[in-house]
Amino acid sequence: MRFPVAGAAAAGLVGLSLLVILAGRHVGREADPSTATTQAAAETYAPPEPSDMELLEQSAPPSQPARPIGQDIVAEPPVKPQELARAEPRAPLSPPSQLARPVPLGPPSQFARPIGQDVVAEPPLKGQDLVRAEPRAPLSPLSQALPPPPKEKNGGLLYLPVAIGSAEFEAMGHKIVIAGTESVGPDETCMHAGVEWACGARAQAAVRAWLRGRALSCELPPDAGSGIQVVGCLLGKQDVGAWLVSNGWARATPGGPYVKAEATARQTGMGIFGPPPPALPAEEPAPEALPSDQSMPIEAGPNSAD
């Protein structure tokens, strides 16, 4: 009984001693700084592991060249690339001297015919015998174009006209007298209810205020010179003669187009046929100036010294 127990105890001591020895070796290796530095350097500067691409490049070359897509469908020609050779260019079918050249065309023997010349008979006429016919009349007057508007007969605009009378003007070297009117001179006077007044100056001032420097459109002849031209004129779209006579600033010529307008102006007392304009109020006499040696007396104030 003693021997098995003693053997078991001895075996336990041997195992314990082995564990102690192994543990001491491991602790000593971790405590040695030179060993730790050598291990870290080995881990830091170790050669890198090859990547997948390097492994593919280092693999063996393919046993046969790559084939295009569809290699199971398209059969590979039984010819190797080394056996192919460039062929010589073929000879021309005919020498250059025998090639077709363009032939210059001469004048046509007859005029061009439309398609179907075997069906449509050619008219027995020559081109020199044809004469252009007059255009036919329109089928309806509604399709005709409107006639052009008539050209204006007036010779243009007369800029900056100046009234030298009630119906007489000067502009751009021309002297214009309105046709169908009798001008009232600037020095002419009129009688109304026994009172004489300067109706000519009043008429001239009224016409100048009406013009205000606007241009007159008159029917001047093409060869109009610097002489007196008795013509009709427009101011915009208004007849100058009709305006002058209807407002009483000119008289109408006997048998002229403005006789009725003068009669109406006489009945209503317009312009020179009416009363004179109201007189201005009399001016008050200016106060007499005091002599230079006479001065105003100075009143003594309550604080002035006696």
Side-chain angles (χ1 to χ4, degrees):
M1 188 68 183
R2 294 180 180 178
F3 291 103
V5 174
L13 291 174
V14 172
L16 181 61
S17 61
L18 292 176
L19 290 177
V20 170
I21 293 171
L22 293 177
R25 290 183 178 180
H26 181 71
V27 171
R29 186 180 299 176
E30 291 182 355
D32 190 359
S34 60
T35 306
T37 305
T38 305
Q39 184 178 2
E43 293 179 357
T44 305
Y45 298 101
E49 297 181 359
S51 60
D52 297 340
M53 295 301 296
E54 294 178 354
L55 294 176
L56 291 176
E57 292 177 356
Q58 296 175 3
S59 61
S63 59
Q64 58 181 359
R67 290 290 305 279
I69 298 175
Q71 58 184 353
D72 300 335
I73 301 174
V74 181
E76 183 178 2
V79 179
K80 298 182 179 180
Q82 295 79 2
E83 299 176 358
L84 297 177
R86 185 179 299 275
E88 296 294 334
R90 64 175 178 82
L93 300 179
S94 59
S97 60
Q98 300 180 2
L99 295 177
R101 296 182 179 180
V103 179
L105 300 177
S109 58
Q110 59 181 359
F111 295 99
R113 292 290 306 281
I115 300 176
Q117 55 185 356
D118 299 335
V119 180
V120 182
E122 182 179 2
L125 296 175
K126 298 182 179 180
Q128 293 79 3
D129 299 336
L130 297 179
V131 179
R132 184 178 297 276
E134 296 293 334
R136 64 172 178 82
L139 301 178
S140 173
L142 298 178
S143 61
Q144 293 181 344
L146 297 177
K151 297 182 179 180
E152 298 181 358
K153 297 181 180 180
N154 52 352
L157 297 177
L158 300 178
Y159 297 97
L160 300 178
V162 178
I164 58 176
S166 64
E168 298 179 0
F169 306 93
E170 287 184 352
M172 301 176 62
H174 300 282
K175 187 175 182 180
I176 307 300
V177 177
I178 304 301
T181 63
E182 292 181 0
S183 179
V184 179
D187 299 332
E188 188 174 345
T189 60
C190 301
M191 294 294 297
H192 183 270
V195 178
E196 184 179 8
W197 64 286
C199 59
R202 180 72 177 90
Q204 183 183 20
V207 173
R208 288 184 176 181
W210 177 63
L211 283 177
R212 296 195 305 275
R214 293 179 290 177
L216 292 176
S217 177
C218 301
E219 300 177 357
L220 293 176
D223 55 348
S226 58
I228 299 177
Q229 304 292 331
V230 183
V231 293
C233 297
L234 296 175
L235 183 63
K237 296 183 179 180
Q238 192 172 17
D239 187 358
V240 177
W243 186 88
L244 292 175
V245 176
S246 60
N247 285 276
W249 302 124
R251 301 182 183 91
T253 55
Y258 309 122
V259 175
K260 293 183 178 180
E262 181 183 352
T264 304
R266 287 181 180 273
Q267 292 177 3
T268 55
M270 299 292 293
I272 61 175
F273 308 113
L280 297 176
E283 297 181 359
E284 298 181 358
E288 297 181 359
L290 297 176
S292 58
D293 57 349
Q294 185 177 359
S295 59
M296 295 292 293
I298 300 176
E299 297 181 357
N303 297 330
S304 60
D306 296 337

